[in-house]
Amino acid sequence: SEGKDGASAAESTPPGVPQGRLGERSSALSSAGQFFFEYLVVVSLKKTPDGLYEPKITYQFPKVFSPLKGQKEEEERLLQAIPLFCFPDGNNWAPLTEFTSETFSFVLTNVDGSRKIGYCRRLLPSGRGVRLPEVFCIISCLGCFGLFSKILDEVEKRRQISMAVIYPFMQGLRESPFPAPGKTVTIKSFIPESGTELIELTRPVDAHLEHVEFQALLQRLSPQLILHIFASAMLERRLIFLAEELSVLSQCIHAVAALLYPFSWAHTYIPVVPECLLDTVCCPTPFMVGIQRRHLARVLEQPMEEALIVDLCEGKIIRAVGDEEEILPGKLQNEMLTSLNRHNSNNNVHTPEQVNALVSEAFVQFFVRLVGHYGSHVRRGRAGPARFQERAFCRAAASRGRRRLLKRFVRTNMFALFIEEAERSSIPHEGNG
């Protein structure tokens, strides 16, 4: 299903503000036992006096939330942003008789750096004659795209019968605890005509891969290009991805961000940029954004600092800095190419889960070879905090190519966040007493 896609992200902070780490690594997004979701909204297109259509929230469940005083403002800002990200392709809609439903997602960043994910299903309500698409959007703190795609399938099935049938299903879901990785939760749901159904929702065992589908990337880009993009992301450069479909943009960008695991992209991250925010590409700080291909001319006109522009429809890089080939050490680059080519040629043999595991393993191994020795350079004094010995760490690299890359990588925000965590960690590294 196309629903296991990546997140597109909304900014509730200015584009230049570093935005904490991507949700998958924060405990809030993976903890079992929480609510499945905060609320479900329906966003419909309403005609404005000038004849255009504007997205508006027309249904919200549950009606009341956030009883805490300080959260009201945050909640209002969130509700203002949701319609924009459910219809990021502008307001040039017209009523339709046919429309293939699509699944995509976005991320809203709160003032405190925490993130909420919007899982969206855009569909045409059942009926006769011309009508406008609407979006069912589930807002949750939990990152698990396959699971929410299945929930949206159930919502869509009920929408074809009546809005009234959605409510008891979502109520049942809201009362169920979010399952732990590898576990299943069963929801009972009554549907007129067909009786009570049992819906099983299972989380994958490997929680850090439940938000991603690497196959989406391998189908559109050659392994060589994937490595050029990965190298640029590693150095926290500006990355712009182009595609027409929202699901393709959100799947592919989320996959690129996931290649960085166990590190996290810590800057502006908007996998589907709403039309009114296109000038984000002028911002001087690192970003990873997705833009609908129809806006390419406008993007190229913007005064832009060095950026990598990737066309996912054509499977090629439109604009590059020029050194992408040389960033990764030759030996490690070749090992990863061999590994990716192997998965590529066996694409029909492997399930999406197997492809995820194999691709992730190749990139995790790359980081193990490159920075795996960091632990022995975190020195703990008898009293006082641990300190990372950066120079000794870079000097200890196995080759000149690795040393050159490490000197650049240690300057990134994602490495700094990773090391901060290591310094804070209370578990002393063996041999460091």
Coordinates of all heavy atoms in Angstrom, one line a residue, residues 243-328:
A243 N 8.8 15.8 -7.1 CA 7.9 14.8 -7.6 C 6.5 15.4 -7.7 O 6.3 16.4 -7.1 CB 7.9 13.5 -6.7
E244 N 5.6 14.8 -8.5 CA 4.3 15.4 -8.6 C 3.4 14.9 -7.4 O 2.6 15.6 -6.8 CB 3.7 15.1 -9.9 CG 2.7 16.2 -10.4 CD 3.0 17.6 -10.1 OE1 4.0 18.2 -10.6 OE2 2.3 18.2 -9.3
E245 N 3.5 13.6 -7.2 CA 2.6 12.9 -6.2 C 3.1 13.2 -4.8 O 4.3 13.0 -4.4 CB 2.5 11.4 -6.4 CG 1.8 11.0 -7.7 CD 2.0 9.6 -8.0 OE1 1.8 8.7 -7.1 OE2 2.5 9.2 -9.1
L246 N 2.2 13.5 -3.9 CA 2.5 13.8 -2.5 C 3.0 12.5 -1.8 O 4.0 12.6 -1.0 CB 1.3 14.3 -1.7 CG 0.5 15.5 -2.3 CD1 -0.6 15.9 -1.4 CD2 1.5 16.7 -2.5
S247 N 2.5 11.4 -2.2 CA 2.9 10.1 -1.5 C 4.3 9.8 -1.9 O 5.1 9.4 -1.0 CB 2.0 9.0 -1.9 OG 1.9 8.9 -3.3
V248 N 4.7 10.1 -3.1 CA 6.1 9.8 -3.6 C 7.1 10.7 -2.8 O 8.1 10.3 -2.3 CB 6.3 10.0 -5.1 CG1 7.7 10.0 -5.5 CG2 5.5 9.0 -5.8
L249 N 6.8 12.0 -2.7 CA 7.6 12.9 -2.0 C 7.8 12.5 -0.5 O 8.9 12.4 0.0 CB 7.0 14.4 -2.0 CG 7.2 15.2 -3.3 CD1 6.5 16.5 -3.2 CD2 8.7 15.4 -3.6
S250 N 6.6 12.2 0.1 CA 6.7 11.9 1.6 C 7.4 10.6 1.8 O 8.2 10.4 2.7 CB 5.4 12.1 2.3 OG 4.4 11.3 1.8
Q251 N 7.2 9.6 0.9 CA 7.9 8.3 1.1 C 9.4 8.4 0.9 O 10.2 8.0 1.7 CB 7.4 7.3 0.0 CG 6.2 6.5 0.4 CD 5.8 5.6 -0.8 OE1 6.2 5.8 -1.9 NE2 5.1 4.5 -0.4
C252 N 9.8 9.1 -0.2 CA 11.2 9.2 -0.5 C 12.0 10.0 0.5 O 13.1 9.7 0.9 CB 11.4 9.7 -1.9 SG 10.9 8.4 -3.1
I253 N 11.5 11.1 0.9 CA 12.2 12.0 1.8 C 12.3 11.3 3.2 O 13.4 11.4 3.8 CB 11.6 13.4 1.9 CG1 11.6 14.1 0.6 CG2 12.3 14.2 3.0 CD1 11.4 15.5 0.5
H254 N 11.3 10.7 3.6 CA 11.4 10.0 4.9 C 12.4 8.9 4.8 O 13.2 8.7 5.8 CB 10.0 9.4 5.3 CG 9.8 9.5 6.7 ND1 9.7 10.7 7.4 CD2 9.8 8.6 7.7 CE1 9.6 10.5 8.7 NE2 9.6 9.3 8.9
A255 N 12.5 8.2 3.6 CA 13.5 7.2 3.5 C 15.0 7.8 3.5 O 15.8 7.2 4.2 CB 13.3 6.4 2.2
V256 N 15.2 8.9 2.9 CA 16.5 9.5 2.9 C 16.9 9.9 4.4 O 18.0 9.6 4.8 CB 16.5 10.8 2.0 CG1 17.8 11.6 2.3 CG2 16.5 10.4 0.6
A257 N 15.9 10.5 5.1 CA 16.2 10.9 6.5 C 16.5 9.6 7.3 O 17.4 9.6 8.2 CB 15.0 11.6 7.1
A258 N 15.9 8.5 7.0 CA 16.1 7.2 7.8 C 17.4 6.6 7.5 O 18.0 5.8 8.3 CB 15.0 6.3 7.5
L259 N 18.1 6.9 6.3 CA 19.4 6.4 6.0 C 20.4 6.9 7.0 O 21.5 6.3 7.2 CB 19.8 6.8 4.6 CG 19.0 6.3 3.4 CD1 19.6 6.9 2.1 CD2 19.1 4.7 3.3
L260 N 20.1 8.0 7.7 CA 21.1 8.6 8.6 C 21.1 7.9 10.0 O 22.0 8.2 10.8 CB 20.8 10.1 8.8 CG 20.9 10.9 7.6 CD1 20.3 12.3 7.8 CD2 22.3 11.1 7.1
Y261 N 20.2 7.0 10.2 CA 20.1 6.3 11.5 C 21.5 5.6 11.8 O 22.1 5.0 10.9 CB 19.0 5.2 11.4 CG 18.8 4.4 12.7 CD1 18.1 4.9 13.7 CD2 19.5 3.2 12.9 CE1 17.9 4.2 14.9 CE2 19.3 2.5 14.1 CZ 18.5 3.0 15.1 OH 18.4 2.3 16.2
P262 N 22.0 5.7 13.0 CA 21.4 6.2 14.3 C 21.5 7.7 14.5 O 21.2 8.1 15.6 CB 22.3 5.4 15.4 CG 23.6 5.3 14.7 CD 23.4 5.1 13.3
F263 N 21.9 8.4 13.5 CA 21.9 9.9 13.6 C 20.5 10.4 13.1 O 19.8 9.6 12.5 CB 23.0 10.5 12.8 CG 24.4 10.1 13.3 CD1 25.0 8.9 12.7 CD2 25.0 10.7 14.3 CE1 26.2 8.5 13.2 CE2 26.2 10.3 14.8 CZ 26.8 9.2 14.2
S264 N 20.2 11.7 13.4 CA 18.9 12.2 13.0 C 19.1 13.6 12.4 O 19.8 14.4 12.9 CB 18.0 12.4 14.3 OG 17.9 11.2 15.0
W265 N 18.3 13.8 11.3 CA 18.3 15.1 10.6 C 17.8 16.1 11.6 O 16.7 15.9 12.2 CB 17.4 15.0 9.4 CG 17.4 16.3 8.6 CD1 16.4 17.3 8.7 CD2 18.4 16.8 7.7 NE1 16.8 18.3 7.9 CE2 18.0 18.1 7.3 CE3 19.6 16.3 7.3 CZ2 18.7 18.8 6.4 CZ3 20.4 17.1 6.4 CH2 19.9 18.3 5.9
A266 N 18.5 17.2 11.9 CA 18.1 18.1 13.0 C 17.8 19.5 12.5 O 17.8 20.5 13.2 CB 19.3 18.2 14.0
H267 N 17.5 19.6 11.2 CA 17.2 20.9 10.6 C 15.8 20.9 10.0 O 15.0 20.0 10.1 CB 18.2 21.3 9.6 CG 19.6 21.4 10.2 ND1 20.1 22.6 10.8 CD2 20.6 20.5 10.2 CE1 21.3 22.4 11.2 NE2 21.7 21.1 10.9
T268 N 15.5 22.0 9.3 CA 14.2 22.1 8.6 C 13.9 20.9 7.8 O 14.8 20.5 7.0 CB 14.2 23.4 7.7 OG1 14.4 24.5 8.6 CG2 12.9 23.6 7.0
Y269 N 12.7 20.4 7.9 CA 12.4 19.1 7.3 C 10.9 19.2 6.8 O 10.0 19.1 7.7 CB 12.6 18.0 8.3 CG 12.2 16.6 7.9 CD1 13.0 15.9 7.1 CD2 11.1 16.0 8.5 CE1 12.7 14.6 6.7 CE2 10.7 14.7 8.1 CZ 11.5 14.0 7.3 OH 11.2 12.7 6.9
I270 N 10.6 19.5 5.5 CA 9.3 19.6 5.1 C 9.1 18.8 3.8 O 9.2 19.3 2.7 CB 8.9 21.1 4.7 CG1 9.6 22.1 5.7 CG2 7.4 21.3 4.7 CD1 9.2 23.5 5.4
P271 N 8.8 17.5 3.9 CA 8.7 16.7 2.7 C 7.6 17.1 1.7 O 7.6 16.6 0.6 CB 8.5 15.3 3.2 CG 9.3 15.3 4.5 CD 8.9 16.6 5.1
V272 N 6.6 17.8 2.1 CA 5.7 18.4 1.0 C 5.5 19.9 1.4 O 4.8 20.2 2.3 CB 4.4 17.7 0.9 CG1 3.6 18.4 -0.2 CG2 4.5 16.2 0.6
V273 N 6.2 20.8 0.7 CA 6.1 22.2 1.0 C 4.9 22.8 0.4 O 4.7 22.7 -0.8 CB 7.4 22.9 0.4 CG1 7.2 24.4 0.6 CG2 8.7 22.4 1.0
P274 N 4.0 23.3 1.2 CA 2.8 24.0 0.6 C 3.2 25.1 -0.3 O 4.2 25.8 0.0 CB 2.0 24.5 1.9 CG 2.5 23.6 3.0 CD 3.9 23.3 2.7
E275 N 2.4 25.4 -1.3 CA 2.8 26.4 -2.3 C 3.1 27.7 -1.7 O 4.1 28.4 -2.1 CB 1.5 26.6 -3.2 CG 1.9 27.1 -4.6 CD 0.6 27.1 -5.5 OE1 -0.4 26.5 -5.1 OE2 0.7 27.7 -6.6
C276 N 2.4 28.1 -0.6 CA 2.7 29.4 -0.1 C 4.0 29.5 0.7 O 4.3 30.6 1.2 CB 1.5 29.9 0.8 SG 1.2 28.7 2.1
L277 N 4.7 28.4 0.9 CA 5.9 28.4 1.7 C 7.1 28.1 0.8 O 8.2 27.8 1.2 CB 5.9 27.4 2.8 CG 4.9 27.6 3.9 CD1 5.1 26.5 5.0 CD2 5.1 28.9 4.6
L278 N 7.0 28.3 -0.6 CA 8.0 27.9 -1.5 C 9.3 28.7 -1.3 O 10.4 28.2 -1.6 CB 7.6 28.1 -2.9 CG 6.8 27.0 -3.5 CD1 6.4 27.2 -5.0 CD2 7.5 25.6 -3.4
D279 N 9.2 29.9 -0.7 CA 10.5 30.7 -0.5 C 11.3 30.1 0.6 O 12.4 30.6 0.9 CB 10.2 32.1 -0.2 CG 9.3 32.4 1.0 OD1 8.9 31.3 1.6 OD2 9.0 33.5 1.3
T280 N 10.9 29.0 1.3 CA 11.7 28.2 2.2 C 13.1 27.9 1.6 O 14.1 27.8 2.3 CB 11.1 26.9 2.6 OG1 9.8 27.2 3.1 CG2 11.8 26.2 3.7
V281 N 13.1 27.7 0.3 CA 14.4 27.3 -0.4 C 15.4 28.4 -0.4 O 16.5 28.2 -0.9 CB 14.1 26.7 -1.8 CG1 13.2 25.5 -1.8 CG2 13.6 27.8 -2.8
C282 N 15.0 29.6 0.0 CA 16.0 30.7 0.1 C 16.7 30.7 1.4 O 17.7 31.4 1.6 CB 15.3 32.0 -0.1 SG 14.4 32.2 -1.6
C283 N 16.3 29.8 2.4 CA 16.9 30.0 3.7 C 18.3 29.5 3.7 O 18.6 28.5 3.0 CB 16.0 29.4 4.7 SG 16.3 27.7 5.2
P284 N 19.2 30.2 4.4 CA 20.6 29.9 4.3 C 21.0 28.7 5.2 O 22.2 28.2 5.0 CB 21.3 31.1 4.9 CG 20.2 31.7 5.8 CD 18.9 31.3 5.3
T285 N 20.1 28.1 6.0 CA 20.5 27.0 6.8 C 20.2 25.7 6.1 O 19.5 25.7 5.1 CB 19.7 27.1 8.2 OG1 18.3 27.2 7.9 CG2 20.1 28.3 9.0
P286 N 20.7 24.5 6.6 CA 20.4 23.3 6.0 C 18.9 23.0 6.0 O 18.1 23.4 6.9 CB 21.1 22.2 6.8 CG 22.1 23.0 7.6 CD 21.5 24.3 7.8
F287 N 18.4 22.3 4.9 CA 17.0 21.9 4.9 C 16.9 20.6 4.0 O 17.7 20.3 3.2 CB 16.0 23.0 4.4 CG 16.4 23.6 3.1 CD1 16.1 22.8 1.9 CD2 16.9 24.9 2.9 CE1 16.4 23.4 0.6 CE2 17.2 25.4 1.7 CZ 16.9 24.7 0.5
M288 N 15.8 19.9 4.3 CA 15.4 18.7 3.4 C 13.9 19.0 3.1 O 13.1 18.9 4.0 CB 15.6 17.4 4.2 CG 15.8 16.2 3.3 SD 15.9 14.7 4.2 CE 17.6 14.7 4.9
V289 N 13.7 19.3 1.8 CA 12.3 19.6 1.5 C 11.8 18.9 0.2 O 12.7 18.6 -0.7 CB 12.1 21.2 1.3 CG1 12.4 21.9 2.6 CG2 12.9 21.7 0.1
G290 N 10.5 18.8 0.1 CA 9.9 18.2 -1.1 C 9.0 19.2 -1.8 O 8.3 19.9 -1.1
I291 N 9.1 19.3 -3.1 CA 8.4 20.3 -3.8 C 7.7 19.7 -5.0 O 8.3 18.8 -5.7 CB 9.3 21.5 -4.2 CG1 9.7 22.3 -3.0 CG2 8.6 22.4 -5.3 CD1 10.7 23.3 -3.2
Q292 N 6.4 20.0 -5.3 CA 5.8 19.4 -6.4 C 6.5 19.9 -7.7 O 6.8 21.1 -7.8 CB 4.3 19.7 -6.4 CG 3.6 18.9 -5.4 CD 2.1 19.1 -5.3 OE1 1.7 20.2 -5.0 NE2 1.3 18.2 -5.7
R293 N 6.7 19.0 -8.6 CA 7.5 19.3 -9.8 C 7.0 20.5 -10.6 O 7.8 21.1 -11.3 CB 7.6 18.0 -10.7 CG 8.7 17.9 -11.6 CD 9.0 16.5 -11.9 NE 10.0 16.4 -13.0 CZ 9.7 16.0 -14.2 NH1 8.4 15.6 -14.5 NH2 10.6 15.9 -15.2
R294 N 5.7 20.7 -10.6 CA 5.1 21.8 -11.4 C 5.7 23.2 -10.9 O 5.6 24.1 -11.6 CB 3.6 21.8 -11.3 CG 3.1 22.2 -9.9 CD 1.6 22.1 -9.7 NE 1.2 20.7 -9.4 CZ 0.1 20.5 -8.7 NH1 -0.8 21.4 -8.5 NH2 -0.2 19.2 -8.4
H295 N 6.3 23.2 -9.7 CA 6.9 24.5 -9.2 C 8.3 24.6 -9.5 O 9.0 25.5 -9.0 CB 6.6 24.6 -7.7 CG 5.2 24.5 -7.3 ND1 4.2 25.3 -7.9 CD2 4.6 23.8 -6.3 CE1 3.0 25.0 -7.3 NE2 3.2 24.1 -6.4
L296 N 8.9 23.7 -10.3 CA 10.4 23.7 -10.5 C 10.9 25.1 -11.0 O 11.9 25.6 -10.5 CB 10.8 22.6 -11.5 CG 12.3 22.6 -11.9 CD1 13.1 22.4 -10.7 CD2 12.6 21.5 -12.9
A297 N 10.2 25.7 -12.0 CA 10.6 26.9 -12.6 C 10.7 28.0 -11.5 O 11.7 28.7 -11.4 CB 9.7 27.4 -13.7
R298 N 9.7 28.0 -10.6 CA 9.7 29.0 -9.5 C 10.9 28.8 -8.5 O 11.5 29.7 -8.0 CB 8.4 28.9 -8.8 CG 7.3 29.9 -9.3 CD 6.0 29.8 -8.5 NE 6.1 30.3 -7.1 CZ 5.2 30.2 -6.3 NH1 4.0 29.6 -6.6 NH2 5.3 30.7 -5.0
V299 N 11.1 27.5 -8.3 CA 12.2 27.1 -7.4 C 13.6 27.6 -8.0 O 14.4 28.2 -7.3 CB 12.3 25.6 -7.1 CG1 13.5 25.2 -6.4 CG2 11.0 25.2 -6.3
L300 N 13.8 27.4 -9.3 CA 15.0 27.7 -9.9 C 15.3 29.2 -10.0 O 16.4 29.7 -10.1 CB 15.2 27.1 -11.3 CG 15.2 25.5 -11.3 CD1 15.2 25.0 -12.7 CD2 16.5 25.0 -10.6
E301 N 14.1 30.0 -9.9 CA 14.3 31.5 -10.0 C 14.7 32.0 -8.6 O 15.1 33.2 -8.5 CB 12.9 32.1 -10.3 CG 12.5 32.0 -11.7 CD 11.0 32.3 -11.9 OE1 10.3 32.7 -11.0 OE2 10.5 32.1 -13.1
Q302 N 14.5 31.3 -7.5 CA 14.8 31.8 -6.2 C 16.3 32.0 -6.0 O 17.1 31.2 -6.5 CB 14.3 30.8 -5.1 CG 12.9 30.4 -5.2 CD 11.9 31.4 -4.6 OE1 12.3 32.3 -3.9 NE2 10.6 31.2 -4.8
P303 N 16.6 33.0 -5.2 CA 18.1 33.2 -4.9 C 18.5 32.1 -3.9 O 18.1 32.2 -2.8 CB 18.1 34.6 -4.3 CG 16.7 34.8 -3.8 CD 15.8 34.0 -4.6
M304 N 19.2 31.1 -4.4 CA 19.4 29.9 -3.6 C 20.9 29.7 -3.3 O 21.7 29.8 -4.3 CB 18.8 28.7 -4.3 CG 18.5 27.5 -3.4 SD 18.1 26.1 -4.5 CE 17.0 26.9 -5.7
E305 N 21.2 29.4 -2.1 CA 22.6 29.0 -1.8 C 22.8 27.6 -2.4 O 21.9 26.9 -2.9 CB 22.9 29.0 -0.3 CG 22.5 30.3 0.3 CD 23.5 30.9 1.3 OE1 24.5 30.2 1.4 OE2 23.2 31.9 1.8
E306 N 24.1 27.0 -2.3 CA 24.3 25.7 -2.9 C 23.3 24.7 -2.4 O 23.1 24.6 -1.2 CB 25.7 25.3 -2.4 CG 26.8 25.9 -3.2 CD 28.2 25.4 -2.9 OE1 28.4 24.9 -1.7 OE2 29.1 25.4 -3.8
A307 N 22.8 23.9 -3.3 CA 21.8 22.9 -3.0 C 21.8 21.7 -3.9 O 22.3 21.9 -5.1 CB 20.4 23.5 -3.0
L308 N 21.4 20.6 -3.5 CA 21.3 19.4 -4.3 C 19.8 19.3 -4.7 O 18.9 19.2 -3.8 CB 21.7 18.2 -3.5 CG 21.8 16.9 -4.3 CD1 23.1 16.9 -5.2 CD2 21.9 15.7 -3.4
I309 N 19.5 19.3 -6.0 CA 18.1 19.2 -6.4 C 17.9 17.8 -7.1 O 18.6 17.5 -8.1 CB 17.7 20.3 -7.4 CG1 17.9 21.7 -6.7 CG2 16.2 20.2 -7.8 CD1 17.5 22.9 -7.6
V310 N 17.0 17.0 -6.6 CA 16.8 15.6 -7.1 C 15.4 15.5 -7.7 O 14.4 15.8 -7.0 CB 16.9 14.6 -5.9 CG1 16.8 13.2 -6.4 CG2 18.2 14.8 -5.1
D311 N 15.4 15.1 -9.0 CA 14.1 14.8 -9.6 C 13.7 13.4 -9.5 O 14.4 12.5 -10.1 CB 14.2 15.2 -11.1 CG 12.9 15.1 -11.9 OD1 12.0 14.4 -11.4 OD2 12.8 15.8 -12.9
L312 N 12.7 13.1 -8.7 CA 12.3 11.7 -8.4 C 11.6 11.1 -9.6 O 11.5 9.9 -9.7 CB 11.5 11.6 -7.1 CG 12.2 12.0 -5.8 CD1 11.3 12.2 -4.7 CD2 13.3 10.9 -5.4
C313 N 11.0 11.9 -10.4 CA 10.2 11.4 -11.6 C 11.2 10.9 -12.6 O 11.0 9.8 -13.2 CB 9.3 12.5 -12.2 SG 8.2 13.2 -11.0
E314 N 12.3 11.7 -12.9 CA 13.3 11.3 -13.9 C 14.4 10.5 -13.3 O 15.2 9.9 -14.1 CB 13.9 12.6 -14.5 CG 12.8 13.5 -15.1 CD 12.6 13.2 -16.6 OE1 13.6 12.8 -17.3 OE2 11.5 13.4 -17.1
G315 N 14.5 10.4 -12.0 CA 15.6 9.6 -11.4 C 16.9 10.2 -11.6 O 17.9 9.5 -11.9
K316 N 17.0 11.6 -11.5 CA 18.3 12.2 -11.8 C 18.5 13.4 -10.9 O 17.5 14.0 -10.3 CB 18.5 12.6 -13.3 CG 17.5 13.6 -13.7 CD 17.7 13.9 -15.2 CE 16.8 15.1 -15.6 NZ 16.7 15.3 -17.1
I317 N 19.7 13.9 -10.8 CA 20.1 15.1 -10.0 C 20.1 16.2 -11.0 O 20.8 16.2 -12.0 CB 21.4 14.9 -9.3 CG1 21.2 13.9 -8.1 CG2 21.9 16.2 -8.7 CD1 22.4 13.5 -7.3
I318 N 19.3 17.3 -10.8 CA 19.2 18.4 -11.7 C 20.3 19.5 -11.4 O 20.8 20.1 -12.2 CB 17.8 19.1 -11.5 CG1 16.7 18.2 -12.0 CG2 17.8 20.4 -12.3 CD1 15.4 18.8 -11.9
R319 N 20.6 19.6 -10.1 CA 21.6 20.6 -9.7 C 22.4 20.0 -8.5 O 21.9 19.4 -7.6 CB 21.0 21.9 -9.2 CG 22.0 23.0 -8.9 CD 21.3 24.2 -8.3 NE 20.7 25.0 -9.4 CZ 20.1 26.2 -9.2 NH1 20.1 26.7 -8.0 NH2 19.6 26.9 -10.2
A320 N 23.8 20.1 -8.6 CA 24.6 19.5 -7.6 C 25.7 20.5 -7.2 O 25.9 21.5 -7.9 CB 25.3 18.2 -8.1
V321 N 26.3 20.2 -6.0 CA 27.5 21.1 -5.6 C 28.7 20.7 -6.5 O 29.5 21.6 -6.8 CB 27.7 20.9 -4.1 CG1 29.0 21.6 -3.7 CG2 26.5 21.3 -3.3
G322 N 28.8 19.4 -6.8 CA 29.9 19.0 -7.7 C 30.9 18.0 -7.1 O 31.7 17.4 -7.8
D323 N 30.9 18.0 -5.7 CA 31.9 17.1 -5.1 C 31.3 15.8 -4.5 O 32.0 15.1 -3.7 CB 32.6 17.9 -3.9 CG 31.6 18.3 -2.8 OD1 30.4 18.2 -3.1 OD2 32.1 18.7 -1.8
E324 N 30.0 15.6 -4.8 CA 29.3 14.5 -4.2 C 30.0 13.1 -4.3 O 29.9 12.3 -3.4 CB 27.9 14.3 -4.8 CG 26.9 15.4 -4.3 CD 27.1 16.8 -5.1 OE1 27.9 16.8 -6.1 OE2 26.4 17.7 -4.8
E325 N 30.7 12.9 -5.4 CA 31.4 11.7 -5.7 C 32.5 11.4 -4.7 O 32.8 10.3 -4.4 CB 32.0 11.8 -7.1 CG 32.5 10.5 -7.7 CD 31.4 9.7 -8.4 OE1 30.6 10.3 -9.2 OE2 31.4 8.5 -8.1
E326 N 33.1 12.5 -4.2 CA 34.4 12.4 -3.4 C 34.1 12.4 -1.9 O 35.1 12.2 -1.1 CB 35.3 13.5 -3.7 CG 36.1 13.4 -5.1 CD 35.3 14.1 -6.2 OE1 35.0 15.3 -6.0 OE2 35.0 13.4 -7.2
I327 N 32.9 12.6 -1.4 CA 32.7 12.8 0.0 C 32.9 11.6 0.8 O 33.7 11.6 1.8 CB 31.2 13.3 0.3 CG1 31.0 14.7 -0.4 CG2 31.0 13.4 1.8 CD1 29.6 15.2 -0.3
L328 N 32.4 10.4 0.3 CA 32.5 9.2 1.1 C 33.8 8.5 0.7 O 34.2 8.5 -0.4 CB 31.4 8.2 0.8 CG 29.9 8.8 1.0 CD1 28.9 7.8 0.6 CD2 29.7 9.2 2.5

